[in-house]
Amino acid sequence: MAGGKMKKDKQKGPRAPSNHYQGGVTFHKSKGQHILKNPMLVDAIVQKAGIKPTDTILEIGPGTGNLTKKLLETGKMVIAVELDPRMVLELQRRFQGTPFSNRLKVIQGDVLKTDLPYFDICVANIPYQISSPLTFKLLFHQPAFRCAIIMFQREFAMRLVAQPGDNLYCRLSVNTQFYARVFHLLKVGKNNFRPPPKVDSSVVRIEPRKPRPEVNHKEWDGFIRICFIRKNKTLGSIFKQKNVLSLLEKNYKTLQALQGSQNVSLSGNDDMEIARLGDESMEMEYGMDDDMDMECDEAEGEGEVSEFKNKVISVLKEGKFEEQRASKLSQESFLTLLSMFNKAGIHFS
């Protein structure tokens, strides 16, 4: 029968390729290569970026240049950072001999390991596995840029903008919003990409705070890391843990010894080598930002340990933080508590 024959012929035919193409370039999902194919969405991203004709634009992960073309039409210059040499070649071919060729600079390399030049605006459709380290690399970039428009996995994006009390509010939320204002712009369905990813995405606008908050960022990160060991536990419970008290007491004694012998002040000292809780950097992936797997036994015993424990708890009680939970505290509250600890000689970096 015709139907059976057609089915048989179809089975014998060549199997459809699993990779997707554009301009002869194969895209690999395993490398996070998902090219934005919806022209209306590309226009919307450029429009929301608020690009000026005098702007230098940093584009991360340009792929084959669909978004790059719109950026070149709008700004003064585009600096594109691309890891895949095949994409770099395709990008150069696409704009070679066009009026845009002199206004496009392509840097081949890993953006996390590349010294970024000056730019006014960053626009990026990035592999989702570098979301956290890239975000913090941009936040600490100098000189500060005006804004970044970045496509993230949707859950990561919602963590960036989460507020105290939200289910997704975590250490990532606090750290990002401490250094920048963050806005959710667009939800982007997976079918807007070629090949489509497994999850939906969101476009987020990040505006670095100017001036940058005057705080030792290692101190701040160490403090926030401890507060979010168990974000729904009370701070009183967290700061009574043996490992937390041991860490803080070690820092306390180290600084007392240094200040006694050298009259050293900790304020703003990024070079001080002091113990930290764990060895993960601020740029660790968001999936481990809160509810970290730590020992939860409270401190026991007498003598100096008990005396130091009382010192820590007295700070929490004085500020009425003992029964508060990190999941519901604002940045202003975290800053207040950190300042109180520091005045008592207790440091986190």
Side-chain angles (χ1 to χ4, degrees), residues 40-322:
M40 294 182 64
L41 191 54
V42 171
D43 290 341
I45 291 173
V46 173
Q47 181 181 6
K48 289 182 178 295
I51 299 171
K52 301 176 182 179
T54 56
D55 281 342
T56 295
I57 306 160
L58 174 70
E59 185 183 11
I60 301 170
T64 55
N66 292 345
L67 180 57
T68 310
K69 183 175 183 295
K70 291 293 182 180
L71 297 175
L72 286 166
E73 291 172 352
T74 311
K76 178 182 179 181
M77 182 177 182
V78 173
I79 302 169
V81 182
E82 174 59 60
L83 178 61
D84 191 334
R86 302 170 309 135
M87 298 292 184
V88 170
L89 184 59
E90 180 64 25
L91 204 62
Q92 292 170 336
R93 286 174 176 170
R94 180 168 184 172
F95 296 103
Q96 186 177 13
T98 71
F100 300 130
S101 59
N102 294 330
R103 295 195 287 111
L104 172 63
K105 178 181 179 181
V106 183
I107 300 174
Q108 181 181 338
D110 184 341
V111 67
L112 298 180
K113 300 176 182 178
T114 301
D115 292 331
L116 301 177
Y118 170 86
F119 61 93
D120 299 295
I121 288 181
C122 174
V123 179
N125 173 23
I126 60 173
Y128 292 147
Q129 58 266 32
I130 69 168
S131 295
S132 188
L134 177 62
T135 297
F136 285 101
K137 176 166 184 167
L138 291 175
L139 288 177
F140 290 116
H141 177 76
Q142 289 295 325
F145 51 93
R146 190 164 75 249
C147 74
I149 309 296
I150 306 180
M151 184 92 67
F152 291 116
Q153 180 178 333
R154 180 162 174 78
E155 183 179 341
F156 184 92
M158 299 317 294
R159 286 175 180 263
L160 288 179
V161 301
Q163 297 298 305
D166 292 349
N167 288 336
L168 291 177
Y169 187 66
C170 60
R171 188 166 61 91
L172 175 70
S173 317
V174 175
N175 277 332
T176 307
Q177 294 173 35
F178 184 66
Y179 293 104
R181 297 197 306 160
V182 190
F183 307 91
H184 182 271
L185 299 181
L186 296 169
K187 181 178 178 181
V188 182
K190 61 188 76 172
N191 291 329
N192 289 285
F193 297 91
R194 183 189 299 115
K198 294 180 180 180
V199 295
D200 289 334
S201 305
S202 280
V203 179
V204 170
R205 182 183 179 95
I206 299 175
E207 298 177 359
R209 296 190 185 277
K210 300 177 183 179
R212 182 185 293 181
E214 294 183 4
V215 65
N216 180 325
H217 74 266
K218 293 181 181 178
E219 172 99 29
W220 171 260
D221 182 50
F223 169 65
I224 296 299
R225 186 184 300 276
I226 289 177
C227 290
F228 277 91
I229 288 174
R230 288 282 186 268
K231 70 176 184 179
N232 290 313
K233 278 187 172 288
T234 65
L235 293 178
S237 174
I238 289 172
F239 280 91
K240 289 175 185 175
Q241 292 180 20
K242 286 181 181 180
N243 56 338
V244 173
L245 286 171
S246 176
L247 168 82
L248 297 183
E249 186 178 22
K250 181 178 180 181
N251 288 353
Y252 181 76
K253 289 182 176 180
T254 300
L255 288 169
Q256 278 193 323
L258 287 171
Q259 290 171 338
S261 61
Q262 303 175 16
N263 194 27
V264 174
S265 172
L266 178 70
S267 178
N269 191 343
D270 280 339
D271 297 324
M272 191 77 70
E273 291 295 334
I274 304 174
R276 301 181 67 207
L277 185 63
D279 59 359
E280 304 94 341
S281 68
M282 179 188 292
E283 294 84 0
M284 70 187 295
E285 280 303 315
Y286 72 90
M288 297 178 63
D289 273 350
D290 44 53
D291 287 349
M292 294 164 64
D293 209 7
M294 304 298 294
E295 178 185 349
C296 294
D297 293 337
E298 292 191 4
E300 298 174 357
E302 302 296 335
E304 289 184 324
V305 173
S306 179
E307 182 180 340
F308 183 78
K309 174 183 174 182
N310 290 336
K311 185 180 185 70
V312 171
I313 298 305
S314 68
V315 172
L316 294 172
K317 288 182 176 179
E318 181 185 350
K320 299 181 179 179
F321 286 104
E322 189 177 18

